[in-house]
Amino acid sequence: MSTVLIQALQFVLALSLLVTIHELGHFLAARMFGIRVDKFYLFFNPWFSLYKRQIGGVEFGIGWLPLGGYVSIYDSREKLFNAEEEAKKKLKELKSDLRKSRRRGDAMENVLSEKVVALEAEIESLREKQRTMAAEPDELRAKPAWQRLIVMVAGVVMNAVAAMVIYAAVLFTWGEDFLLNDNVVHGYTFSEPAKELGFEDRDRILAIDGEKVGNAEDIGMTLLLSDGDRDVTVLRNNDTVTFTIPMDRLVAMREARSFKGMYTPIVNPFVVDSCSTDAVAALGYMQGDQIVGVADKPMCSGEYIRPALAAHKGETVNVRVLRYETDSLNVVRPVYLDIATPINAEGKIGVALMTQAKVKFSHREYGFFESIPAGIKLGANQIKSYVDQLVMMVNPETKLYKEVGGFLSIGSIFPEQWNWLVFWNITALISVMLAVMNLLPIPVLDGGHVLFALYEIITRRKPGERFMEIAQTIGFALLLLLIIYANGNDIFNLFK
């Protein structure tokens, strides 16, 4: 099975699950308040459905357009709405015929004009009936505003709760693996783009903007998701150094996507204890020398150095070492030396290594009752992080708006090989994204309906029908533009 198909299957499975959970929230809330529900659909079904079945007066189905899903709540005015839409189509055709008739100057102009006037009056009459038609007891509009508010916000709540439940289940099943920054006692190696920001190999990162770093995995996100300059404090050659990374440099790194592999913990430093022969000692190696490069390539950790030496068996290559020397002022300074070193048939240079403090990776197991508050906390933190990112997106200087992605971007974050742990973590993250995005105050989204319900609760009057119609049209246009923009970014990046 191709990697693209595996990613696509994971995306469709995650989206199907989360859309069903979201719509289930609306469905259950509506039923709780005695509101009639006509349809419950996973994916949209213009023209036809892949599957549908009537159960308990509700049509459950699967559409063919995977852009979401919907719950259709009963509205006694639906026939009037449909009649108005049909009348609008006929009016559009009549006006087109009328324009043609006027250009021809034929006798049909007056007849068509009368039909247009009559149809416009019919449309206005239908709208008036919609405005004045009394609501039936099982309609959404018959319920008080606070109940309608709960129905509208229920989908968002379900997605937020689903994320927390998934995180709790993940912690209970797999536990949590992490690396505390304090445990990275030998510092990090950095990519060339990271070094251009001011980092140096073996830096121990102490703080970012004055705040101590907890989890080593959070360093990249903390730096890159920034709406201002970052002050970074590191321990470098036994000195505490603070430097500032301008925001535009961080933005440039994000845009160039050069942040991958920007820092790697040094797990196993290669430090010389003694030379096995006088010949090796004669090359210039001394006790305490730390190997930081092989064959003109920088590397600081044994898991990289050993394969690099093995790749040059029987050759003589430059081995770079870091040595600390005391100058005439009794100041210890780092010195880099390149030593031409023959590598034996076993891929070794003939030195014994010092025993170094181990970098301790942490793993925590969670019991059932421990996992619940931990999952809630993790979900809440993810929601806060995503909201912060949306707020930063409004600031044009961050250029985060350029990184808005559509279906291709979301699908590509799934692994190329099926991994249930990664799948569930990503699914929980997408659930957070759906919850936050649906709460945006855009008409046609849940957040727009929530906004109107709150307005009604506060002012004790409903927004006008005409206003609601215009707002829904504008909201749909905004949503469509957002979808086109996000997926357009995906397509642009494919050819970038």
Side-chain angles (χ1 to χ4, degrees):
M1 188 180 294
S2 71
T3 57
V4 174
L5 183 57
I6 290 173
Q7 288 178 307
L9 285 173
Q10 291 178 89
F11 173 61
V12 172
L13 177 59
L15 186 64
S16 301
L17 175 65
L18 296 177
V19 167
T20 301
I21 289 172
H22 181 92
E23 299 306 330
L24 184 62
H26 295 307
F27 178 82
L28 294 176
R31 282 300 185 92
M32 181 174 67
F33 294 121
I35 299 168
R36 176 176 158 185
V37 178
D38 287 339
K39 295 179 180 180
F40 185 121
Y41 262 78
L42 169 65
F43 304 147
F44 295 114
N45 61 321
W47 304 298
F48 67 93
S49 303
L50 297 179
Y51 169 84
K52 61 181 177 180
R53 185 176 179 182
Q54 200 81 13
I55 303 174
V58 181
E59 182 182 306
F60 292 90
I62 301 175
W64 59 270
L65 189 60
L67 296 178
Y70 69 93
V71 165
S72 176
I73 293 177
Y74 171 67
D75 192 322
S76 58
R77 301 169 298 175
E78 187 172 352
K79 289 182 178 179
L80 295 175
F81 292 142
N82 293 336
E84 182 186 349
E85 289 303 313
E86 288 298 320
K88 285 179 178 178
K89 291 178 183 177
K90 290 180 182 178
L91 181 62
K92 185 177 180 181
E93 293 173 2
L94 278 175
K95 285 184 175 180
S96 176
D97 292 340
L98 179 59
R99 286 192 295 270
K100 293 176 183 177
S101 176
R102 284 172 176 168
R103 285 196 296 269
R104 291 194 302 267
D106 58 31
M108 288 297 296
E109 181 180 343
N110 290 335
V111 175
L112 291 171
S113 294
E114 290 175 359
K115 287 184 176 181
V116 166
V117 171
L119 200 51
E120 287 176 340
E122 181 182 339
I123 290 172
E124 187 55 41
S125 174
L126 288 169
R127 287 176 175 170
E128 182 61 28
K129 289 178 181 178
Q130 293 166 20
R131 287 191 289 268
T132 57
M133 187 175 182
E136 296 180 11
D138 57 355
E139 284 189 72
L140 178 67
R141 64 194 180 106
K143 304 300 178 180
W146 67 269
Q147 291 186 6
R148 283 184 275 121
L149 175 64
I150 291 174
V151 172
M152 293 308 170
V153 83
V156 169
V157 172
M158 285 288 281
N159 276 131
V161 171
M164 295 174 184
V165 169
I166 291 172
Y167 281 131
V170 166
L171 293 173
F172 175 69
T173 306
W174 287 281
E176 182 183 18
D177 293 306
F178 55 95
L179 175 61
L180 292 175
N181 184 59
D182 286 347
N183 289 344
V184 187
V185 294
H186 306 299
Y188 298 89
T189 58
F190 296 91
S191 64
E192 287 304 315
K195 288 177 181 177
E196 291 174 6
L197 298 178
F199 291 103
E200 294 183 10
D201 286 339
R202 294 168 305 285
D203 279 353
R204 288 187 64 184
I205 300 174
L206 303 179
I208 298 174
D209 287 343
E211 293 188 13
K212 185 179 177 180
V213 177
N215 193 329
E217 292 183 0
D218 295 338
I219 293 171
M221 289 285 285
T222 304
L223 287 172
L224 293 168
L225 294 179
S226 170
D227 56 359
D229 298 345
R230 290 295 199 204
D231 293 325
V232 181
T233 303
V234 301
L235 184 64
R236 178 179 298 164
N237 299 324
N238 298 320
D239 293 326
T240 300
V241 177
T242 299
F243 59 94
T244 300
I245 306 176
M247 184 181 72
D248 60 346
R249 300 285 299 279
L250 295 170
V251 170
M253 174 178 270
R254 279 205 329 267
E255 289 187 311
R257 298 192 175 277
S258 57
F259 50 80
K260 294 181 179 179
M262 67 180 294
Y263 64 101
T264 305
I266 299 174
V267 177
N268 182 23
F270 217 86
V271 181
V272 175
D273 184 42
S274 61
C275 298
S276 57
T277 66
D278 291 339
V280 175
L283 295 174
Y285 286 101
M286 297 177 63
Q287 186 181 54
D289 284 351
Q290 180 178 345
I291 295 177
V292 295
V294 176
D296 301 320
K297 293 182 179 179
M299 56 191 73
C300 296
S301 201
E303 62 266 30
Y304 302 108
I305 294 172
R306 287 187 178 88
L309 293 174
H312 294 280
K313 293 177 182 178
E315 302 176 20
T316 298
V317 299
N318 279 335
V319 175
R320 171 161 283 202
V321 301
L322 168 64
R323 180 179 300 164
Y324 292 95
E325 295 183 347
T326 304
D327 62 17
S328 58
L329 298 176
N330 204 34
V331 176
V332 178
R333 299 186 185 279
V335 177
Y336 292 91
L337 302 171
D338 288 316
I339 301 175
T341 306
I343 301 173
N344 65 26
E346 296 177 352
K348 297 180 179 179
I349 60 175
V351 298
L353 302 177
M354 287 184 177
T355 301
Q356 297 292 316
K358 292 183 178 180
V359 173
K360 183 181 178 182
F361 288 84
S362 301
H363 177 80
R364 180 177 176 182
E365 293 287 342
Y366 288 84
F368 178 77
F369 293 105
E370 287 180 306
S371 68
I372 295 172
I376 293 172
K377 181 179 179 181
L378 184 53
N381 287 341
Q382 290 285 24
I383 291 172
K384 180 182 181 303
S385 174
Y386 194 67
V387 170
D388 289 342
Q389 291 176 48
L390 287 178
V391 172
M392 281 192 283
M393 201 175 293
V394 178
N395 180 358
E397 292 182 1
T398 66
K399 298 187 180 179
L400 275 173
Y401 61 88
K402 291 185 177 181
E403 298 176 38
V404 174
F407 298 117
L408 289 177
S409 290
I410 297 172
S412 67
I413 66 177
F414 286 96
E416 295 180 351
Q417 300 296 324
W418 201 289
N419 181 309
W420 282 111
L421 171 60
V422 178
F423 170 81
W424 286 116
N425 273 317
I426 294 175
T427 300
L429 178 61
I430 295 174
S431 192
V432 166
M433 293 165 60
L434 286 175
V436 175
M437 291 298 292
N438 266 290
L439 206 53
L440 292 177
I442 299 175
V444 309
L445 291 181
D446 294 341
H449 295 296
V450 168
L451 185 66
F452 294 137
L454 287 173
Y455 170 82
E456 183 178 342
I457 290 171
I458 294 169
T459 64
R460 301 197 175 189
R461 61 180 182 180
K462 290 184 178 181
E465 292 288 338
R466 185 60 180 162
F467 170 81
M468 291 291 291
E469 182 181 331
I470 295 172
Q472 295 279 10
T473 302
I474 294 173
F476 181 79
L478 287 173
L479 185 61
L480 185 61
L481 285 173
L482 180 59
I483 292 172
I484 293 171
Y485 175 74
N487 289 281
N489 270 352
D490 284 347
I491 296 169
F492 175 76
N493 288 328
L494 284 176
F495 298 96
K496 195 172 180 180

